[in-house]
Amino acid sequence: MTVSLRERVPLAPYTTLGLGGPARYFLECRTEAELREALTTARARGLSVQIIGGGSNLVVADAGFPGLVLKVAIGGVTHRDAADGVEVVAGAGVAWDALVRQAVERGWVGIECLSGIPGTVGATPIQNVGAYGQEIADTLVSVRCLERDNLGEVVFTRDQCEFVYRGSRFKGRDRDRYVVLDVSLRLRRDILPQIRYAELAQAIGRHGALERLEPGQAARVVRDTVVELRRRKSMVLDPTDPNARSVGSFFVNPVLSTAAFDELARRRHAAGEVDGIPTFPADGRVKVAAAWLIEHAGFAKGYRYGGVGISTRHALALVNHGGTTTELLALAQSIERAVYERFGVRLEREPVVVG
């Protein structure tokens, strides 16, 4: 088998931001065999390799990428009965929200709060994708990967993935070492969804108590409510919404030690500021709302910088209004600097920057 690489392929259309220059070489891999052959070809030709999925967490440099970009498009969804529900195996290239929709339609519970998130299944364990009180670590059984150097297959159990808030071993110490092939999830039948996020609970409450519904109906209510909440924040893919040309949240909510949070509170008190900082418990530490930090550092919703800006609906989303990646990263740096100078907190970027 010989793969045929395309040359000088624009990458902007493969991202939700719509920014970035071309890939020197590009290939969409629909099978594991194509992926192995492409990696072998790249090694033989001395090409650097960048793996992409749905492009919803990707910022590509204006100059593009000088090596080989491989878009993983491995499909397929299978499921089998398990002792306490159903085990679902989905290929890395499957659209994540399509999988969530399928699960909810079948009455399977466990990922309904992750509705409306763009991107592919393969990205979810890397980022430990989460929203509205759920994260992929809650239901993940295993991740099957291809090691890029020796092309060997490796399966990681949930515990071996070393999940943390918005991260995993694949984003940390093993960054760029593996390519996700498929993901196995354990979902439940005949139970009501658990609602752990106050905003979601309040929104669902307007529709009546979930306890009055059958589990499958309740899961559909949760999905519909989550999608509506995300739509109000321009956090779903919508070509008619100018705020949707983003990567969603550009920054991660900082998780501080209690000592670091006490220092933050002391600084604010010393400055005569008495309004509370939105916080959430995080395994003995304190999670601080990054959007609040950004707005209180002087960057309001709708702020513009050249051809980019901040969403008019959500301060965590940086939006492309016809600008450049250079402008976007300059804006990100300005926000990071202002937040640090004002609060002593360093913001961490959520998307991958390529090139």
Side-chain angles (χ1 to χ4, degrees):
M1 173 184 174
T2 302
V3 295
S4 179
L5 305 181
R6 297 164 58 195
E7 297 190 45
R8 304 297 300 174
V9 175
L11 291 175
Y14 289 94
T15 73
T16 53
L17 260 172
L19 287 176
R24 179 68 182 87
Y25 298 101
F26 182 92
L27 181 67
E28 185 168 319
C29 300
R30 297 184 177 276
T31 66
E32 294 178 30
E34 286 181 336
L35 181 59
R36 290 174 186 272
E37 183 65 23
L39 290 171
T40 300
T41 299
R43 182 184 305 165
R45 297 172 63 170
L47 298 173
S48 55
V49 175
Q50 176 65 47
I51 305 295
I52 68 171
S56 60
N57 200 42
L58 194 64
V59 180
V60 179
D62 295 319
F65 185 72
L68 171 59
V69 172
L70 298 178
K71 176 176 171 59
V72 178
I74 300 170
V77 178
T78 61
H79 60 88
R80 64 178 181 84
D81 290 338
D84 56 352
V86 59
E87 188 165 317
V88 180
V89 180
V94 172
W96 171 252
D97 192 52
L99 180 68
V100 178
R101 183 178 63 250
Q102 178 180 338
V104 169
E105 288 173 350
R106 292 174 178 266
W108 301 338
V109 173
I111 53 176
E112 57 284 337
C113 294
L114 305 180
S115 294
I117 295 176
T120 55
V121 167
T124 58
I126 297 172
Q127 187 81 1
N128 188 17
V129 163
Y132 295 104
Q134 259 179 10
E135 56 188 19
I136 197 69
D138 298 336
T139 53
L140 187 135
V141 176
S142 62
V143 182
R144 191 168 64 93
C145 300
L146 187 68
E147 189 163 9
R148 286 169 58 160
D149 284 345
N150 62 23
L151 301 184
E153 184 180 304
V154 186
V155 177
F156 295 96
T157 65
R158 178 196 179 281
D159 290 341
Q160 291 172 327
C161 290
E162 301 172 12
F163 287 126
V164 294
Y165 172 66
R166 297 299 180 270
S168 69
R169 68 183 299 162
F170 310 113
K171 191 178 178 182
R173 66 185 179 94
D174 283 334
R175 180 187 292 269
D176 295 333
R177 181 177 176 183
Y178 300 100
V179 183
V180 175
L181 299 174
D182 59 45
V183 173
S184 298
L185 305 175
R186 180 72 54 81
L187 305 179
R188 301 288 300 276
R189 295 191 184 99
D190 303 323
I191 65 167
L192 289 171
Q194 293 186 357
I195 307 302
R196 306 186 185 100
Y197 199 82
E199 181 188 17
L200 178 59
Q202 184 179 24
I204 288 174
R206 293 194 287 269
H207 300 283
L210 289 182
E211 290 76 9
R212 301 174 187 167
L213 304 175
E214 294 295 322
Q217 293 176 306
R220 285 191 288 274
V221 168
V222 173
R223 171 175 168 76
D224 291 345
T225 306
V226 167
V227 170
E228 179 56 31
L229 287 173
R230 292 183 66 87
R231 191 178 303 281
R232 290 179 196 167
K233 300 173 184 177
S234 296
M235 291 292 187
V236 296
L237 295 180
D238 181 353
T240 67
D241 182 356
N243 283 308
R245 296 182 71 188
S246 76
V247 290
S249 296
F250 199 92
F251 300 103
V252 176
N253 290 322
V255 179
L256 308 179
S257 67
T258 53
F261 180 75
D262 288 344
E263 173 61 19
L264 170 60
R266 186 196 65 77
R267 290 175 61 144
R268 287 187 52 72
H269 179 74
E273 298 166 333
V274 296
D275 54 324
I277 305 170
T279 61
F280 314 89
D283 296 325
R285 302 207 292 170
V286 183
K287 186 191 301 182
V288 179
W292 186 94
L293 295 174
I294 291 168
E295 292 195 81
H296 283 74
F299 290 87
K301 298 184 188 75
Y303 177 89
R304 294 288 288 265
Y305 175 80
V308 300
I310 297 175
S311 169
T312 60
R313 296 182 176 181
H314 200 302
L316 278 184
L318 304 189
V319 179
N320 172 24
H321 295 295
T324 65
T325 302
T326 300
E327 289 177 316
L328 187 84
L329 295 179
L331 173 58
Q333 289 172 347
S334 295
I335 292 170
E336 291 161 356
R337 187 182 308 111
V339 168
Y340 182 73
E341 290 175 352
R342 180 75 182 274
F343 301 110
V345 175
R346 295 192 185 278
L347 292 180
E348 177 187 345
R349 296 178 186 181
E350 195 161 322
V352 176
V353 180
V354 172

